[in-house]
Amino acid sequence: MMNADAPTVFVVDDDASVCASIQGLLKSVNLRSESFGTAEEFLRSKPPEGPSCLVLDVNLPGINGLDFQRQLADAGIQIPIIFVTGHGDIPMTVKAMKSGAVEFLTKPFEDQDLLNAIHQALDRDRVWRRQQSNFAALRKCYEALSEREREVMGLVVSGMLNKQIAFDLGISEITVKIHRGQVMRKMRAESLAELVRMASKLELLRGKK
């Protein structure tokens, strides 16, 4: 049984022999893979639960690889892409890399070059998934704050002193201290500097709540 966190390499190429070759290579280094003949087939598949990347042919029936890269980005689908093509040129390569591709390989390519790119792509996806998980946990902590605690947090990270916050909110300084302590505890912040960094990640410093 596959671990849900085990990485998956998705291969999209309309040449069945290329798919078989790449999948054989991946199997030899114990990497799980799935193959598809078109971008549309890949979109109909179940999204991966663990780290993943996409080995994508540029010249595909239907939507081509470069247009598909843009379509995924527009849809907010984050998956690192490694392009492979038999007819690459410099403008095509530049366009793909500027749009975030991990690598652009021209067929026939060396097996090790592909494996290196795949490992780089999977590492990139692991980092992104970890960041998303950390942000979700941070957001959950913030949502646990009361409305008043959110107000106090916003004023604290803006640099206001307790007495200034008390005056601004029309409450006592002691009450501000209590709310401030609750904010630090619920946000799991060890210091004011850490709380400011958290607020920055949540975009509270730009007035967004």
Side-chain angles (χ1 to χ4, degrees), residues 177-192:
K177 288 180 180 178
I178 293 171
H179 285 314
R180 185 169 179 159
Q182 285 289 82
V183 168
M184 297 295 285
R185 182 183 64 81
K186 290 183 180 180
M187 293 302 296
R188 301 173 187 171
E190 298 292 333
S191 66
L192 175 57

Side-chain angles (χ1 to χ4, degrees), residues 158-175:
S158 74
M160 290 178 65
L161 301 174
N162 286 350
K163 62 182 179 181
Q164 294 172 317
I165 296 172
F167 178 80
D168 192 71
L169 297 179
I171 58 179
S172 71
E173 194 171 338
I174 292 295
T175 302

Side-chain angles (χ1 to χ4, degrees), residues 124-137:
R124 181 186 293 187
D125 198 46
R126 287 187 186 97
V127 169
W128 179 81
R129 286 171 181 271
R130 193 180 310 120
Q131 290 172 340
Q132 290 299 106
S133 177
N134 290 343
F135 180 79

Side-chain angles (χ1 to χ4, degrees), residues 26-37:
L26 296 172
K27 186 176 181 180
S28 73
V29 294
N30 298 314
L31 277 174
R32 180 176 182 270
S33 66
E34 295 180 27
S35 67
F36 306 89

Side-chain angles (χ1 to χ4, degrees), residues 43 51 78 99 140 142 148 163 195 208:
L43 283 178
Q78 287 275 357
S99 297
K140 187 175 181 180
Y142 181 71
R148 177 64 87 189
K163 62 182 179 181
L195 190 68
K208 295 184 181 179

Side-chain angles (χ1 to χ4, degrees), residues 96-167:
M97 300 301 284
K98 278 188 173 181
S99 297
V102 174
E103 186 58 275
F104 195 103
L105 300 173
T106 303
K107 302 174 185 176
F109 44 79
E110 296 292 330
D111 288 351
Q112 194 57 52
D113 289 342
L114 177 60
L115 290 176
N116 289 345
I118 286 171
H119 286 301
Q120 182 183 344
L122 292 175
D123 285 344
R124 181 186 293 187
D125 198 46
R126 287 187 186 97
V127 169
W128 179 81
R129 286 171 181 271
R130 193 180 310 120
Q131 290 172 340
Q132 290 299 106
S133 177
N134 290 343
F135 180 79
L138 182 62
R139 188 75 204 179
K140 187 175 181 180
C141 289
Y142 181 71
E143 289 172 352
L145 300 180
S146 68
E147 192 61 39
R148 177 64 87 189
E149 287 164 352
R150 292 183 191 182
E151 286 180 323
V152 170
M153 178 176 170
L155 296 174
V156 166
V157 299
S158 74
M160 290 178 65
L161 301 174
N162 286 350
K163 62 182 179 181
Q164 294 172 317
I165 296 172
F167 178 80

Side-chain angles (χ1 to χ4, degrees), residues 28-91:
S28 73
V29 294
N30 298 314
L31 277 174
R32 180 176 182 270
S33 66
E34 295 180 27
S35 67
F36 306 89
T38 65
E40 290 81 1
E41 284 179 26
F42 169 74
L43 283 178
R44 288 194 294 269
S45 68
K46 182 181 177 182
E49 294 181 10
S52 61
C53 69
L54 184 60
V55 177
L56 182 63
D57 188 19
V58 173
N59 300 298
L60 291 168
I63 183 170
N64 68 47
L66 292 173
D67 287 342
F68 186 50
Q69 179 189 32
R70 186 176 64 253
Q71 188 180 84
L72 290 174
D74 290 344
I77 298 175
Q78 287 275 357
I79 183 168
I81 296 174
I82 299 152
F83 279 106
V84 293
T85 181
H87 309 284
D89 56 36
I90 291 176

